[in-house]
Structures are given as structure tokens and as C-alpha cells.
Amino acid sequence: MKNTEVPLPVRGMRDFVGADARTFHHVVDRLQTVVCRYGFSPIEMPLVEFTSLFVRSLGDTSDVVDKEMFTFEDRSGQSISLRPEGTASAVRALITNKLTQTLPQKWSYYGPMFRYDRPQKGRYRQFYQFGVEDLGASGPLSDVEAISMAMEGVQSLGINGATLFINSIGDAATRADYRAKLVAYFEAYKGDLSEDSQRRLTVNPLRILDSKDAKDQELVRGAPQISGSFTPEAARFFDRVKEGLAALGLTFKLDPCLVRGLDYYDHTTFEIKAPVGEGSTLLAVVGGGRYNGLVEQMGGPSVPAVGWAAGLDRLMLAVEAPAVEVPPVAVLFVGEAEDVAALQGAHRLRGLVQNPVLMPAEGNLAKRMKMSDRAGALCVFLIGEDELKTGQLKVKFLRSTGEFEEGAECVVAETELAAWTAQHLSPLTKPE
Ligand code: AMP
């Protein structure tokens, strides 16, 4: 029996069609151009990894692992998960491809990530990130370069009003001292904390600083700050980062609560917030930081690293769809008898011009003319009985150009086609 139910996308997942798809690729291209100039090269990684990879790297108390992973058993009963972020896979790739002795590795990637979050504007269950990982980068100036690259990426999209927030969560000794101070402080208010934060108090008290709960936030305002727990090394590292940012003329705001949701960070953490969408709400469009311990924690040697991920869905909200760079042209046969000649004509044109060449084949001539117009065609080449006999093509302009008015017509001899297209369309650089 025919299934008449209308298929729907899975909640929190969507298609990019038309202008959205153009915007998506425009954003990726711009970011790729920027990071390439900093010496980062693309890496492609699987969308699926063993669940244990994310549990070990992000931490089993992180919200992402605790509540948001798309986890399945495959047919052999192994637990696998759709990747919720890229850093864990990049670290796994560094180890599995035996590159831990060939450092630095400077990688960039983009693609879908999956988190079972509550969908809303700017938050999806399948969302897209563009990320970079600078594996083997140990010094504070690498953090500065990573941050400056992220800012440049956002600015290259023409987004104004982006603000950089930075913090340091220090080294392991810093965090051990700070954890004890935080627990002592929050224990006194335990009953007032949200249920989630009461749990965090025992498993990961730093996460309370990240809480979205209004009451928690009020208590957080009175909490001790991490700078009071910095070891001299951690303080020096952070000072160097701040000096480096200032040397590049990058302004920033210190946010002592910026601990980020994942377990693997140490030293520098940062976020870029930008006004996006209607109402210009300030949303985090980039998040990142240093993760010196992660490669070792995942079974490799000690490899210091720094990286970030930009949220493409959110950047798309702040960017206008780019215009189509080279408009298409269309070849239309007048009668069915000329359809193969039109097919050949379109084929020949594709060897001459950069313009996409369309050959609408459905419906009568008027309908195909309309389709060409809707597709944004600059002009149509008409091939009918007369044109075939005389070797002369009729060209009709559907849009005004510098030389032709909308509706203008002209006749081009087939033998002159290469010269004519070179003059009036966008010729391929390679001659015919
Ligand atoms: P995170 O890995 O959580 O630090 O996220 C880095 C960036 O990815 C954020 O700043 C957001 O721009 C984006 N992002 C994270 N989660 C989502 C989501 N569910 N939907 C859309 N964008 C997201």
C-alpha cells in the first residue's frame, strides 16, 4: 500500500536550500581562507566515533555526555555516538595516524555536530561547526594566534560588534585549589542551589559557574574568583596571552566565569559573542581554549594544544546571503525537433563560459522561458528550425547588462560564438 504520510525532518534538523545553502558555503569559504593564511590545513574526520571516546575526553559529568549525545548500538552491539564536537575526534586522529611525533599539526575542519539539546533559534540538534586544532602548540602566543585568527574569521564575514571574552582556568594545581575554595563557598548555600548545581558541587564544582539558573548566577557573583588560586606559572601564562592580544591591538573582556562546558580545558578559555539575527541578540559564535592534557589522557604522549570551534548556524544568522557571482544562461530549443541541437549547443557553451549553462527541457517554450527567468538567467540562446538552417543563434537578454537592455535581442553566427561569448559573457580563462 502507498504510504501517504508527508515525511518530516527529525526535530532540530533542517535543510539549507537556496540562499541558506549559499550563505553556508560563503561562511565556510571565508573562514577557510583566513585559517589557511595561518598555515592550517583541512582534515576530514568520521561523523561517528565509539561512545567511549567522548566519555573519556569531554568527561562523563559534562552536559554534552550526560544529556545530549546521540548514542546507538551498532549491529555488532558496540556503543557508537554521533560526534557532538570535533576536538575529541581530532585528538583520536592524531594518535591513530601516529602523528604525535610529527608536530605541530595545524588542522581545520567543518561539518555537522549532533547534540540532543532543546531546539530554538540558533540552537539545533544537528548544527554545524568550523573548527581548528593547533596540536603541539605549547606557548601562550599560540593562544593569541588562535584567538586572533578566530576574530579575523568573524570580521571577514562583515560582522560588526563582535566581542572577545577571555579567562584562564589555570593548570591542574590551580584548579585543585580553586575547587576546594568553591566547594567551601557553595556548601554554605547548598539548599539554595539548583538541583543540577547541587549535583555539580560533588562531581564538578567549576561547572556551577556556567549555570544558566538565575538563583545560581546570583550566588556565583559572590563566589571566589579563579585568579586567587593561580599558580605563578598559570598567572604568567595568562599575562603573556593578554600581552600578546594587546600587542595585536585586540581588545577583550575578562570573564572569570568562562569555564566552558567540557572537561578538557586548561589555561586559556575564550568565547566570541556577536549580535545575530532579529533583535541582534548577543550569542556565542566561537568558543575555544587550550587543552594540554587531552592527548595524554586519551592514551598518547603529552601534546599541548589549543583550538576553537565556530558555530556556523549562528554566523549564518549574522550574514547576508552573497549574490550569485556568475549568473546562468539558458539554451532553449524552439521545437522538439531541435532538442538534440540545443543539447549540443549547451555542451559547447559550457566549454566557453563560466556562466552555468541550463537547458530546461520540460514544457513548452513559454514555460521554459519562464523557468530560465526564475533561475536568474542573464540571457537565453534560442535554437529553432531557422537557426539550424542558417547557423545563426538568436540571443534574448532577460536582464540588463552594461551593454544590453532587458528584452534586447541579437543574432550570433555559430562560427562567431566563441568570440561573442568572450566579449559579452564570463569566458573561461582557458581558450576553446
Ligand atoms: P561548544 O563546542 O559548545 O563550545 O560550541 C562552540 C560553538 O558552537 C558555540 O559558540 C555555538 O556557536 C555553536 N553551538 C554549540 N551548540 C550548538 C547548537 N546546539 N546549535 C547551534 N550552534 C551550536
Side-chain angles (χ1 to χ4, degrees):
M1 215 173 66
K2 199 170 152 197
N3 186 348
T4 52
E5 246 178 61
V6 177
L8 292 172
V10 173
R11 186 163 139 81
M13 311 205 171
R14 67 217 171 112
D15 308 297
F16 294 142
V17 182
D20 283 345
R22 278 208 309 283
T23 309
F24 176 80
H25 289 288
H26 166 72
V27 172
V28 170
D29 283 354
R30 282 286 159 94
L31 295 178
Q32 216 139 39
T33 304
V34 169
V35 307
C36 176
R37 293 177 54 245
Y38 282 75
F40 283 69
S41 316
I43 173 172
E44 300 292 337
M45 300 176 294
L47 301 192
V48 174
E49 300 275 0
F50 289 119
T51 304
S52 54
L53 178 79
F54 300 117
V55 176
R56 280 173 68 190
S57 58
L58 312 184
D60 53 5
T61 63
S62 65
D63 281 354
V64 171
V65 166
D66 194 28
K67 303 182 195 147
E68 296 173 0
M69 284 228 286
F70 279 84
T71 296
F72 310 91
E73 265 192 15
D74 71 7
R75 285 170 189 273
S76 64
Q78 309 222 60
S79 180
I80 56 171
S81 295
L82 300 181
R83 61 181 187 186
E85 57 102 59
T87 303
S89 303
V91 165
R92 200 252 326 120
L94 184 82
I95 298 171
T96 33
N97 292 287
K98 301 190 171 55
L99 291 167
T100 54
Q101 302 303 320
T102 322
L103 298 171
Q105 293 289 333
K106 292 173 181 283
W107 290 344
S108 72
Y109 52 85
Y110 76 93
M113 307 291 164
F114 302 85
R115 293 184 196 172
Y116 201 88
D117 210 344
R118 203 163 59 79
Q120 51 189 285
K121 189 101 185 139
R123 189 174 291 283
Y124 307 92
R125 287 185 177 170
Q126 175 171 332
F127 62 102
Y128 294 80
Q129 285 187 338
F130 181 100
V132 297
E133 312 295 346
D134 192 350
L135 297 145
S138 61
L141 298 189
S142 297
D143 304 30
V144 175
E145 282 226 301
I147 292 171
S148 117
M149 184 165 67
M151 281 301 273
E152 201 177 318
V154 171
Q155 277 153 3
S156 77
L157 293 165
I159 297 173
N160 295 320
T163 310
L164 169 64
F165 294 86
I166 63 166
N167 188 28
S168 166
I169 57 167
D171 46 21
T174 302
R175 289 192 296 281
D177 181 73
Y178 188 47
R179 206 171 289 130
K181 285 183 182 156
L182 273 187
V183 171
Y185 169 80
F186 284 118
E187 279 292 349
Y189 304 100
K190 195 167 175 183
D192 298 329
L193 284 171
S194 68
E195 217 174 285
D196 266 347
S197 286
Q198 291 191 19
R199 197 172 46 85
R200 291 179 186 126
L201 193 55
T202 39
V203 294
N204 198 336
L206 259 73
R207 288 268 162 67
I208 299 176
L209 303 181
D210 239 0
S211 172
K212 302 285 171 283
D213 181 278
K215 192 82 208 288
D216 287 355
Q217 284 180 350
E218 205 181 302
L219 292 173
V220 164
R221 273 193 281 278
Q225 295 201 352
I226 195 157
S227 52
S229 298
F230 281 161
T231 59
E233 296 74 28
R236 173 90 189 119
F237 195 95
F238 195 32
D239 284 344
R240 294 274 288 150
V241 171
K242 288 183 281 190
E243 284 160 20
L245 291 172
L248 290 183
L250 285 166
T251 51
F252 53 83
K253 289 192 174 154
L254 290 175
D255 177 358
C257 290
L258 183 56
V259 292
R260 311 212 5 92
L262 313 174
D263 254 2
Y264 51 59
Y265 287 107
D266 56 357
H267 290 290
T268 320
T269 54
F270 74 95
E271 256 174 20
I272 298 172
K273 292 189 179 160
V276 299
E278 285 156 41
S280 296
T281 331
L282 216 56
L283 281 184
V285 290
V286 181
R290 175 161 283 283
Y291 50 95
N292 287 348
L294 185 57
V295 179
E296 195 168 11
Q297 186 187 317
M298 299 308 291
S302 168
V303 176
V306 58
W308 51 256
L312 296 178
D313 309 77
R314 294 185 185 176
L315 288 174
M316 283 169 68
L317 286 173
V319 169
E320 296 269 323
V324 177
E325 270 174 33
V326 185
V329 298
V331 180
L332 303 181
F333 49 88
V334 177
E336 294 287 331
E338 294 89 37
D339 61 355
V340 174
L343 182 79
Q344 290 171 318
H347 192 66
R348 181 163 173 224
L349 272 175
R350 289 188 191 108
L352 293 172
V353 294
Q354 289 176 48
N355 308 72
V357 181
L358 316 172
M359 197 197 72
E362 277 74 44
N364 60 22
L365 184 60
K367 182 165 177 206
R368 283 182 278 119
M369 188 71 93
K370 206 184 241 171
M371 282 166 69
S372 308
D373 188 30
R374 209 183 313 134
L378 190 64
C379 62
V380 294
F381 292 79
L382 287 156
I383 302 190
E385 213 178 324
D386 290 349
E387 285 78 15
L388 278 189
K389 248 188 246 151
T390 58
Q392 304 274 324
L393 304 174
K394 197 189 279 173
V395 187
K396 179 170 178 167
F397 276 81
L398 304 187
R399 289 178 166 71
S400 301
T401 70
E403 300 151 286
F404 296 94
E405 286 294 310
E406 181 187 325
E409 291 187 13
C410 61
V411 171
V412 185
E414 271 190 77
T415 49
E416 295 297 316
L417 190 62
W420 189 88
T421 53
Q423 199 181 345
H424 303 295
L425 298 180
S426 305
L428 287 178
T429 35
K430 178 168 63 83
E432 195 186 11

